[in-house]
Amino acid sequence: MNNKNKPPKILVARAIFPEALAKLEESFEVRSNQEDRIFTPEELQKALSEVQGALVAGSERIDASALAQARELKVVANISVGYNNFDVPAMTAAGVMATNTPDVLTDTTADFGFALLMATARRVTESEHWVRAGHWDKWSIVNNPLGMDLHHSTVGIIGMGRIGQGIAKRALGFGMNVIYHNRSHLSDADEKACGAKYASMEELLRTADHVVLVLPYSAESHHTIGAKEIALMKPTATLINIARGGIVDDAALAQALQAGRIFAAGLDVFEGEPSVHPELLKCKNIVLAPHIASATEKTRRAMVDLAVENLRAGLDGKRPPSLINSI
Ligand code: DGY
């Protein structure tokens, strides 16, 4: 086999479903990581220097340093819709296509946003701990973990993309009043479909009974919610973050929860995850999840399949279906 006919080399930086890996091995020379140990920056730089394509996830930061030796790399396919692990200008400058996995996870992620909202407002995990700790014999009309209602309350959604709109549609089924804040207003038709009204950030924070964060992370959205914003929220309000760590100032949130400044929080994402701020771990009025909003088997398979489709297209010299940058 001459060099031209050799299969392209690819990196699969995190463990994927074995059947998907076996399929890739039919067309590519694959360096896989089924033991799922996260690469150090040095290991990632070296691994990228040896391949033409890579499948990665949020744990792999793809920036100028990671790309420094990647002379043959054509495409990096994220198995994720969010791509704050990509330095897109650096990838473009290096001539590397960047892709993500939109759409396939919208409903699953919106379902989870709603699940976390319900669990937080109704203190589901706290109640489970109560049962496990043997407190059920203390059941009383007034002394149960008493929660906040969702029905006929106001939900404020910050970030009204596909997932935010999915949460709004679910909220309508609960008879909730939906307000949103976003960089741009939705079209009249989309606002109508979601039953949602635009609000300024301050109005949303002051009015909402439940604040749900679904906006993408960027330097501009860093600490969108900090002590100052929490101070505007109702003391009875809940805060749900399914967006990205860093959108919320976790230290400020922990202080607010400990002081009873807001009712409760539900977090699927954290600053510096997989670490969780130690003060958040001390809070009772919190529901914690390990970044699982897209985690159903069907959806995670669909995300891998779309990432593979993007990778194959990029390596075949075609436009990947979810290309982020212009190469
Ligand atoms: C995404 O796709 O951005 C999700 O956060 C991953 O679960």
Side-chain angles (χ1 to χ4, degrees):
M1 196 183 270
N2 66 34
N3 218 17
K4 213 169 145 222
N5 294 329
K6 273 192 172 170
K9 290 183 186 167
I10 65 162
L11 169 71
V12 182
R14 297 300 306 266
I16 59 170
F17 298 100
E19 315 83 75
L21 185 63
K23 200 115 195 18
L24 285 169
E25 283 168 344
E26 288 170 13
S27 345
F28 301 110
E29 188 180 323
V30 181
R31 167 158 182 205
S32 64
N33 178 20
Q34 288 301 85
E35 69 274 21
D36 227 6
R37 184 180 65 77
I38 295 175
F39 291 120
T40 63
E42 295 72 30
E43 288 170 335
L44 181 62
Q45 189 192 69
K46 181 161 188 312
L48 291 176
S49 75
E50 293 165 355
V51 295
Q52 284 97 53
L55 283 181
V56 303
S59 40
E60 285 67 55
R61 170 102 190 119
I62 309 297
D63 55 13
S65 159
L67 298 173
Q69 314 289 330
R71 310 266 175 264
E72 294 181 27
L73 189 65
K74 290 193 180 132
V75 52
V76 179
N78 221 16
I79 308 172
S80 163
V81 66
Y83 52 86
N84 55 305
N85 57 318
F86 283 180
D87 179 337
V88 178
M91 294 176 77
T92 308
V96 175
M97 285 180 260
T99 71
N100 68 339
T101 59
D103 302 320
V104 292
L105 48 63
T106 301
D107 281 319
T108 296
T109 305
D111 282 352
F112 185 78
F114 218 82
L116 194 54
L117 169 57
M118 292 188 75
T120 304
R122 296 302 304 272
R123 302 174 67 177
V124 172
T125 53
E126 224 182 308
S127 296
E128 181 180 341
H129 293 149
W130 206 73
V131 173
R132 287 182 190 273
H135 293 326
W136 201 336
D137 58 350
K138 299 188 185 65
W139 189 100
S140 93
I141 302 281
V142 292
N143 193 29
N144 278 153
L146 300 179
M148 293 293 163
D149 279 322
L150 262 66
H151 66 271
H152 303 120
S153 67
T154 294
V155 61
I157 301 172
I158 303 178
M160 201 59 159
R162 289 167 289 236
I163 298 169
Q165 291 177 48
I167 291 171
K169 287 173 186 160
R170 284 157 179 77
L172 287 183
F174 276 70
M176 293 169 87
N177 175 40
V178 181
I179 56 177
Y180 75 96
H181 184 77
N182 199 44
R183 270 176 307 192
S184 52
H185 286 237
L186 295 186
S187 67
D188 289 349
D190 284 343
E191 277 195 354
K192 200 164 168 210
C194 298
K197 284 199 190 67
Y198 184 87
S200 70
M201 184 70 116
E202 183 171 337
E203 184 189 349
L204 182 147
L205 291 170
R206 287 190 189 284
T207 320
D209 298 301
H210 307 286
V211 175
V212 181
L213 303 171
V214 209
L215 64 167
Y217 180 81
S218 65
E220 294 75 53
S221 63
H222 183 74
H223 286 186
T224 294
I225 302 294
K228 193 166 117 257
E229 291 72 26
I230 293 171
L232 297 175
M233 292 171 66
K234 295 180 180 179
T236 49
T238 66
L239 178 69
I240 309 301
N241 187 8
I242 59 161
R244 275 293 180 271
I247 301 257
V248 174
D249 176 344
D250 285 351
L253 175 61
Q255 268 186 12
L257 289 170
Q258 286 170 13
R261 183 62 205 79
I262 59 172
F263 182 69
L267 305 176
D268 185 43
V269 288
F270 302 85
E271 286 192 286
E273 66 188 51
S275 299
V276 177
H277 195 292
E279 292 301 318
L280 284 176
L281 291 172
K282 290 184 193 161
C283 298
K284 278 191 173 169
N285 46 349
I286 196 166
V287 178
L288 304 168
H291 202 148
I292 55 161
S294 66
T296 65
E297 169 141 4
K298 189 172 159 209
T299 291
R300 284 282 166 88
R301 284 185 185 276
M303 290 165 70
V304 170
D305 289 349
L306 178 53
V308 168
E309 201 184 329
N310 282 319
L311 181 85
R312 284 186 190 277
L315 291 175
D316 281 353
K318 298 184 187 134
R319 185 188 162 83
S322 21
L323 182 64
I324 294 163
N325 53 353
S326 316
I327 294 292

